[in-house]
Amino acid sequence: EVQVVESGGGLVQPGGSLRLSCAASGFSFSSYWMHWVRQAPGKGLVWVSRINSDGSSTTYADSVKGRFTISRDNAKNTLYLQMNSLRAEDTAVYYCARGPTWFDPWGQGTLVTVSS
Amino acid sequence: DIQMTQSPSSLSASVGDRVTITCRASQSISSYLNWYQRKPGKAPKVLIYAASSLQSGVPSRFSGSGSGTDFTLTISSLQPEDFATYYCQQSYSTPYTFGQGTKLEI
């Protein structure tokens, strides 16, 4: 079964850091672009970042550029999102999803809450 | 950023109805348009990619059309399991953006 499973969410204070992980299985992870998408409470879906298949190219939404870093370990079939300088407005459920440019599958998401 | 606008925001329909949801882009996106279905507590699921290509495993009652700025998702005969929220998403350029969603209710 093709699936991705996120982990690493939790409660963090403003200005803090958190690293999300996304474990992939059932497909050739190293062949696919991967993405992070988030949804804040009561808000819509927002694309956050993408990374190409070998990790050499990354793109970010302006709202996270300079604070978040997407990376991957193809040997471990795992995608990461390092989130630094977190703000209250980063509170959301974070989803990882397989590319290329349409997202399938998505994980169940991991909740990140930024609050003091 | 490319803005995606869906209409209607919500829709009431009955089993067996034909339903059409519209998505409009703020600029031309060729055929770089994808449709998702989302049920409560579940991750979104892609239905249609590249405007009109049916994702493997998705029932043929779902279809997509359009190019440029105007797109439609059609469900030819609603089934009970189709009551969900539907989103469009443009993949023409980053940042990829989503419509606000259309909630399809009984």
Side-chain angles (χ1 to χ4, degrees), chain B residues 7 9 15 20-21 25 32 37 42 47 55 66 69 76 81 90-91 100:
Chain B
S7 61
S9 296
V15 173
T20 297
I21 298 169
Y32 293 91
Q37 177 192 65
K42 299 281 192 178
L47 302 172
Q55 176 74 347
T69 60
S76 60
E81 61 268 29
Q90 65 83 14
S91 51
Q100 81 280 13

Side-chain angles (χ1 to χ4, degrees), chain A residues 31-43:
Chain A
S31 299
Y32 287 86
W33 288 67
M34 296 295 295
H35 302 260
W36 288 99
V37 178
R38 69 185 181 184
Q39 185 169 31
K43 302 289 188 179

